[in-house]
Amino acid sequence: MGEETDFFQLMAAIGGKAALFSASGHAARKAVNEIVRAQLVADGTGLDQVRQIRALLGPAAFAEALDGVPAPKTKALLTRADPHGPALAQPGDRIKALLALADGSRAPSVPVEKPARKAASRKAPAGPDAAPKEEAAKDPSAAPAPRKRKITGRAALRVSEER
């Protein structure tokens, strides 16, 4: 068959005469599942396309096709379909979430707004409280004790050998 052949049109023609190809039912099922899986794992497939595919295939055939998608690809598809949703660790949970998103029983998660950070003032406070801190900085006896340095690497080996 040439490059100009429309294979989707040929599949529609075969589907229209399914009785003529009755011995190929299993092969047709596998072909449909592979086509659907290839589209589901494609980079541009989002929630709208997933819902359209489910509406076209029906719930049972869609679930069967989705069940054959590899776990890493399922995670990527769920992230595209619901970018603000919870990160699910188990592949079965991801498939259930995708099925719920596809049939509309679960809406995509909305982004969680994080509280705004308060900018810390880097200036020294002005006023009556500022004077004691400046005096403490000038007085060496009021300075905190120096921190002990943790010895690691070769220095630690030398110290342990000396003991």
Side-chain angles (χ1 to χ4, degrees):
M1 294 190 187
E3 293 178 20
E4 299 166 4
T5 306
D6 185 2
F7 290 103
F8 287 110
Q9 190 175 25
L10 290 175
M11 288 175 57
I14 290 171
K17 303 283 184 184
L20 184 60
F21 298 96
S22 61
S24 303
H26 183 67
R29 181 175 148 231
K30 285 175 57 176
V32 167
N33 283 338
E34 286 303 313
I35 291 169
V36 171
R37 288 177 190 138
Q39 183 59 46
L40 289 175
V41 300
D43 286 336
T45 304
L47 182 57
D48 292 335
Q49 290 85 5
V50 170
R51 287 181 174 169
Q52 289 175 8
I53 292 169
R54 183 193 178 276
L56 179 70
L57 297 178
F62 178 76
E64 180 181 342
L66 184 63
D67 192 40
V69 175
K73 302 285 185 172
T74 305
K75 184 176 182 179
L77 176 60
L78 182 59
T79 303
R80 282 193 311 270
D82 190 8
H84 304 290
L88 301 172
Q90 298 300 320
D93 294 338
R94 290 185 205 130
I95 290 175
K96 288 177 187 174
L98 281 166
L99 289 172
L101 286 168
D103 71 7
S105 64
R106 178 180 147 208
S109 303
V110 294
V112 178
E113 291 189 27
K114 296 179 182 176
R117 288 186 165 183
K118 293 183 179 179
S121 176
R122 296 188 185 246
K123 290 184 177 179
D129 296 337
K133 289 181 183 176
E134 291 174 4
E135 291 174 11
K138 292 178 184 176
D139 184 18
S141 62
R147 289 180 44 197
K148 290 187 177 181
R149 200 174 115 200
K150 186 174 181 179
I151 301 174
T152 59
R154 290 185 178 179
L157 289 174
R158 273 187 260 137
V159 169
S160 65
E161 290 173 356
E162 291 174 0
R163 290 185 185 170

